[in-house]
Amino acid sequence: MITAISGPLSEYRAQHLKLEVQGAVATLTLDRPERKNPLTFDSYGEMAAILRAATHDDAVRAFVITGSGGNFCSGGDVHEIIGPLLERDTKGLMRFTAMTGELVKAMRACPQPIVAGVDGIAAGAGAIIAMASDIRLGTPRAKVAFLFNRVGLAGCDMGACAILPRIVGQGRASELLYLGRSLGGEEGLAWGFFNRLHAPEELPGAAATLAQEIAEGPSFAHAMTKRMLQMEWAMSMDQAIEAEAVAQALCMTTQDFRRAYDAFVAKQRPVFRGD
């Protein structure tokens, strides 16, 4: 299993999923369409390693995560993950659940905003990956299912009980986690899970365009916004205001802040460089 990646992501050749870097946008594609793109032990580890490496790659300024063949991700592979887990003892199972949680930690810790392009099935861990992204684009045929209870497990998996209520609300999250039912595209949009919907053929372009727009922004400031969105979950209002005062003052020390001012004075559009 891949645990660490060194060097720029543009030079890394992924083994268990597709990684494409175009300009400042990196696209991760779960690419087992014949099985609706299930995760394996290896793809879990490699995706987390890529996102961890992104912390040190200033050339990548936004991510897209998507799936191939009309589906996002069907969750953990039944034969390659679920079956073998039945043979593990408690320590072995804890190693697995800690490893899956590391993927969400890596998604939330990487400074680059993540856009999920969700078409078709996003079930189990696939629903979690969509949930843990910063922005979610879907299609009318998308079906998001936190179906852990359907296999005799709790809904508290990979941060679901912490993150999902903050997206759709406590009552709606409870419904999804207790019932394991599918959240369709239109309902997901109405509930705030999806930011917007696109036709399936338009989704890849829409996700790439949104990620590119984010990548053209001030990357240091975007990273600070992502960090504050994460940290302020556990803060009081006064603590949050104080933390944001420090964060914003740091952003004011960047050259991007000066570039924005100079561009405004010159009546031009600023070109941000991330420093």
Side-chain angles (χ1 to χ4, degrees):
M1 181 179 293
I2 297 166
T3 57
I5 295 170
S6 59
L9 290 179
S10 59
E11 297 179 4
Y12 178 71
R13 298 296 174 261
Q15 301 174 36
H16 305 289
L17 64 160
K18 288 175 64 176
L19 168 64
E20 299 173 285
V21 179
Q22 294 187 338
V25 176
T27 300
L28 291 171
T29 304
L30 296 165
D31 191 30
R32 299 176 67 197
E34 72 285 355
R35 303 277 295 279
K36 299 180 181 178
N37 308 315
L39 292 159
T40 65
F41 294 115
D42 289 326
S43 58
Y44 263 119
E46 186 167 41
M47 183 180 290
I50 289 170
L51 293 165
R52 291 292 187 193
T55 301
H56 309 289
D57 192 340
D58 292 338
V60 173
R61 299 170 71 169
F63 273 95
V64 172
I65 298 180
T66 191
S68 63
N71 288 290
F72 187 69
C73 174
S74 57
D77 189 288
V78 173
H79 301 293
E80 296 186 42
I81 289 185
I82 308 303
L85 287 179
L86 297 175
E87 307 302 321
R88 291 195 179 193
D89 61 12
T90 301
K91 288 179 65 176
L93 292 171
M94 283 293 296
R95 284 195 295 271
F96 170 72
T97 53
M99 181 268 293
T100 61
E102 280 301 314
L103 173 55
V104 174
K105 290 180 182 179
M107 292 179 70
R108 301 313 310 150
C110 82
Q112 297 88 345
I114 300 171
V115 177
V118 182
D119 189 19
I121 299 298
I128 295 288
I129 292 171
M131 175 199 75
S133 299
D134 295 282
I135 298 173
R136 288 159 296 280
L137 304 183
T139 68
R141 69 184 184 186
K143 293 182 179 180
V144 180
F146 299 85
L147 43 64
F148 305 106
N149 74 310
R150 299 289 182 92
V151 294
L153 298 178
C156 55
D157 197 83
M158 300 171 69
C161 286
I163 301 174
L164 188 60
R166 291 177 168 89
I167 299 172
V168 301
Q170 184 81 4
R172 288 168 170 171
S174 298
E175 179 182 338
L176 294 175
L177 296 177
Y178 283 130
L179 298 180
R181 72 168 179 85
S182 294
L183 179 70
E186 296 290 348
E187 186 179 26
L189 179 64
W191 281 20
F193 186 83
F194 289 119
N195 292 77
R196 60 185 74 104
L197 299 182
H198 297 275
E201 66 274 12
E202 296 173 354
L203 180 64
T209 297
L210 178 56
Q212 181 60 39
E213 183 177 351
I214 293 170
E216 291 173 357
S219 58
F220 181 88
H222 283 339
M224 191 64 76
T225 298
K226 181 168 180 174
R227 179 179 297 178
M228 288 295 104
L229 282 169
Q230 177 92 348
M231 290 176 59
E232 290 180 34
W233 287 357
M235 292 181 183
S236 68
M237 181 60 68
D238 285 352
Q239 290 171 328
I241 291 171
E242 290 297 322
E244 290 190 3
V246 174
Q248 200 70 299
L250 288 173
C251 290
M252 290 175 183
T253 68
T254 65
Q255 291 301 308
D256 276 346
F257 182 57
R258 177 169 293 278
R259 290 185 186 104
Y261 171 75
D262 292 341
F264 178 81
V265 171
K267 298 183 179 180
Q268 297 173 349
R269 180 179 178 180
V271 177
F272 297 115
R273 300 177 185 172
D275 59 346

